[in-house]
Amino acid sequence: MKKILVTGGAGYIGSHTVVELTEAGYTPIILDNFSNSEERALEGIAAILGKEVPCYRTDCTDAVALREVFEQEPGIAGVIHFAAYKAVGESVAEPLKYYSNNLGSMLTLLQVMEEYKVNKLVFSSSCTVYGIPEKLPVTEQTPVQKANSPYGNTKKICEEILTDLADSGSNMRTIALRYFNPIGAHPSARIGELPLGVPNNLVPFITQTAAGIRQELTIFGDDYDTADGTCVRDYVHVVDLAKAHVVAIERLLSGKAANIEFFNVGTGTGNTVLEAVKAFERATGKKLNYKIGPRRPGDVPKIFADVTKATVELGFKTTSTLEEAMQSAWDWQLHLEETSTKA
Ligand code: NAD
Ligand code: UD1
């Protein structure tokens, strides 16, 4: 039962990964400062697994506290590092907050991992590093471009730091997973995305609109050069994404990984915003109130992944359809409402 430290393990992708790690026979240890998550994620994980997963309420930028976790948990075999801030708009308004947390947490973690001779790392990166790509689908060879937000830049800089470390002769082995658009929730509806305030991302906005919390969804632009004029994204079910972390950790632990490796994690299929809305309506039988609005500044018109490398080298595969992901997101929304009514 190999111990895997999961920073940001109470968050959206982290909580699903903790479940998948446990089901694959690993012993995850959660580290989170709860800056963007809630206790109920731990309760949801426990409800799914039928047992509690150890959790340290620790800030990953705090080297002293981080050392304490490594002291308390001897034998950590690898780390999956999710802990970061992720709101693009907020990062434009408060860049220092983003640089200090996202770079600080990774640098502190690397330093402490080195001290404790833990040298297997999975890093949460993003397709944001590709900017507006010239050719689609994007492969891992597609050039990385200047980031269009401080948040995106923190992902690009973290990848550069990890590459420099790999080139230095360090024995750290890293897999950076470049996520496309994670959506949906665990089929049990006990864990899912918990957006704070008005959601920026499409799917939580859709589910909150369907639930009557928001009046209507605004689709940002229908004059792009796409099938129906709305933007194209690669929406990947969060459980499929979580499983990608398990196979990445397995590859690192098997000793097969190069010093540093990058993998796209998506479905390989692009869908327009309107197609996503229609998929939600089909899956749930609910009619969504939406209108077309102006383009959102900074939006990438069209991006989706080539997942050949992850398929061949990691054995990664997606199993959920867009409709299933939408259904699970809706079930999670219903669960949230039910539990908040009871509270
Ligand atoms: P999330 O906000 O739900 O999870 C992040 C977790 O990290 C939260 O629980 C938060 O409390 C914790 N955290 C933040 N800073 C911390 C710190 N200094 N110390 C300890 N804990 C800290 O976000 P998510 O959607 O689960 O994203 C996880 C990772 O994936 C992030 O690095 C994010 O940038 C990356 N990512 C997310 C998406 C997406 O669309 N959700 C896309 C690409 C990449
Ligand atoms: C955004 C970020 C990306 C980040 C990701 C996760 C930008 C440019 N990109 O991705 O860096 O990793 O979030 O936080 O901000 N949409 C609507 N109406 C809405 C919300 C969204 O039409 O109310 C559309 C968007 O225009 C986009 C698609 O839905 O075409 C997906 O949007 P979103 O969920 O915000 O993700 P990204 O923009 O792809």
Side-chain angles (χ1 to χ4, degrees), residues 1-2 20-27:
M1 298 282 271
K2 292 196 169 115
E20 296 306 318
L21 281 168
T22 309
E23 286 176 352
Y26 291 95
T27 302

Side-chain angles (χ1 to χ4, degrees), residues 53 118 245 293 300 307 329:
V53 170
V118 177
H245 294 78
V300 172
V307 288

Side-chain angles (χ1 to χ4, degrees), residues 180-302:
F180 282 67
N181 288 55
I183 62 164
H186 193 269
S188 65
R190 297 307 300 261
I191 51 172
E193 193 167 4
L194 279 172
L196 287 179
V198 182
N200 293 306
N201 294 115
L202 179 65
V203 174
F205 208 105
I206 288 178
T207 55
Q208 290 195 5
T209 305
I213 300 167
R214 311 276 155 217
Q215 221 179 353
E216 68 182 347
L217 167 78
T218 301
I219 294 183
F220 298 138
D222 69 347
D223 56 351
Y224 289 100
D225 182 16
T226 62
D228 57 28
T230 64
C231 290
V232 168
R233 294 289 185 274
D234 185 335
Y235 296 100
V236 57
H237 196 301
V238 67
V239 173
D240 285 333
L241 175 59
K243 287 181 175 154
H245 294 78
V246 176
V247 287
I249 265 295
E250 267 160 15
R251 181 171 171 84
L252 288 167
L253 295 176
S254 73
K256 281 191 219 140
N259 291 11
I260 183 159
E261 297 180 331
F262 299 89
F263 292 97
N264 288 340
V265 188
T267 63
T269 302
N271 283 106
T272 67
V273 178
L274 267 174
E275 284 167 352
V277 167
K278 297 291 166 207
F280 176 83
E281 292 185 331
R282 268 197 312 279
T284 62
K286 293 201 68 89
K287 199 91 198 87
L288 201 73
N289 192 20
Y290 69 86
K291 65 166 188 212
I292 306 292
R295 291 183 176 195
R296 180 170 69 176
D299 257 344
V300 172
K302 198 171 176 178

Side-chain angles (χ1 to χ4, degrees), residues 54-134:
C55 174
Y56 291 83
R57 282 158 189 75
T58 300
D59 193 312
C60 200
T61 63
D62 179 345
V64 174
L66 205 50
R67 280 189 197 105
E68 191 51 33
V69 175
F70 279 74
E71 287 291 335
Q72 296 285 318
E73 297 290 346
I76 291 171
V79 180
I80 305 181
H81 179 49
F82 293 106
Y85 295 148
K86 63 163 182 179
V88 176
E90 187 185 57
S91 81
V92 175
E94 296 181 69
L96 294 185
K97 176 174 168 182
Y98 275 68
Y99 285 114
S100 115
N101 192 48
N102 294 7
L103 302 184
S105 62
M106 199 192 67
L107 287 169
T108 310
L109 175 67
L110 288 171
Q111 182 194 331
V112 174
M113 283 175 73
E114 196 167 73
E115 285 169 21
Y116 285 85
K117 303 197 180 350
V118 177
N119 63 358
K120 310 279 187 279
L121 176 71
V122 179
F123 171 68
S124 292
S125 191
S126 166
C127 68
T128 189
V129 299
Y130 297 119
I132 300 182
E134 277 178 15

